[in-house]
Amino acid sequence: MQPIFEKLAKMRIVPVIVINDPSKAVDLAKALCDGGLPCAEVTFRTAGAAEAIRAMTQAFPEMLVGAGTILTTEQADKAIDAGAKFLVSPGLNPEIVRYAQSKGIPMLPGICTPSELEQGLSLGLEMLKFFPAEAAGGIPMLKSFASPYGAVKFMPTGGLTPSNVKDYLALKNVFACGGSWMVKDELIATGDFAKITELTKEAVELAV
């Protein structure tokens, strides 16, 4: 397991963030760190994603900030330049995976079928994102992967909540879970960072 993913495995839960206003990034990072989760996947679904990653990594250099929804090599470059320590994508694009590997940055591409999983193996990957987790079969699907693909570990993302995350984390082939319930859009938009810290603390308790 790559060192970055070893660290994420110890944290167990990775907040998945959509941030529209990069000026809120530092306060958001502080809220997550104060809550006990000094990590984040900042998705490239908004124009300010790279700026937010840069602000978070500069203010909290010890924080593990990655970039999500990486669909192009240009986005990968912007994320790496901003200080992202890992990349995540919703699907498995061999071109993007090879590009990340050429840059020496860890990547978690998303898969939801055995064929996609084997494509990941052919690229030398044994850590994968399982997405969209609940829609793609959830816990039963991950259990089905366990026997034929015993060496592969997953970070399920998509539809995870406080009510089901413990069940996902209990699976031997899950090293961490991605979730957005502690960093909901409305909480970020209204600047309710105290609530984000509270929800993050609760998430940490669920991961014990």
Side-chain angles (χ1 to χ4, degrees):
M1 190 183 295
Q2 292 169 298
I4 292 292
F5 296 149
E6 284 181 358
K7 291 178 181 178
L8 292 180
K10 289 178 182 176
M11 296 182 205
R12 304 286 277 153
I13 294 176
V14 180
V16 180
I17 297 164
V18 177
I19 187 162
N20 291 290
D21 183 358
S23 69
K24 292 182 165 65
V26 172
D27 287 334
L28 177 56
K30 184 178 186 301
L32 291 172
C33 290
D34 288 348
L37 279 180
C39 64
E41 175 193 329
V42 179
T43 62
F44 262 65
R45 300 178 196 175
T46 64
E51 188 180 341
I53 290 171
R54 181 171 285 106
M56 295 169 88
T57 55
Q58 288 179 351
F60 297 90
E62 73 284 1
M63 191 175 181
L64 281 183
V65 182
T69 323
I70 298 297
L71 305 178
T72 66
T73 56
E74 290 78 15
Q75 288 178 326
D77 282 335
K78 286 181 181 178
I80 295 166
D81 182 63
K85 294 182 174 70
F86 61 96
L87 305 179
V88 185
S89 61
L92 195 157
N93 181 331
E95 178 192 359
I96 307 299
V97 172
R98 291 191 190 100
Y99 189 75
Q101 290 171 334
S102 75
K103 296 288 184 178
I105 186 162
M107 183 165 193
L108 279 174
I111 68 96
C112 64
T113 68
S115 295
E116 292 167 346
L117 191 162
E118 290 188 18
Q119 191 173 28
L121 288 174
S122 74
L123 291 163
L125 303 174
E126 290 191 340
M127 314 287 288
L128 296 164
K129 174 180 178 175
F130 179 55
F131 177 83
E134 281 288 279
I139 288 169
M141 190 68 162
L142 285 167
K143 286 181 177 178
S144 297
F145 283 151
S147 293
Y149 306 111
V152 182
K153 303 291 183 186
F154 299 95
M155 183 176 81
T157 306
L160 274 70
T161 67
S163 64
N164 64 16
V165 71
K166 282 182 77 74
D167 294 329
Y168 275 95
L169 289 171
L171 299 177
K172 291 182 180 179
N173 60 347
V174 168
F175 74 95
C177 288
S180 58
W181 72 86
M182 76 295 290
V183 284
K184 291 178 182 176
D185 294 354
E186 58 267 27
L187 294 177
I188 298 173
T190 58
D192 194 351
F193 299 110
K195 183 64 174 179
I196 290 173
T197 296
E198 178 188 331
L199 291 172
T200 302
K201 287 179 178 177
E202 291 175 2
V204 170
E205 289 299 314
L206 289 172
V208 173

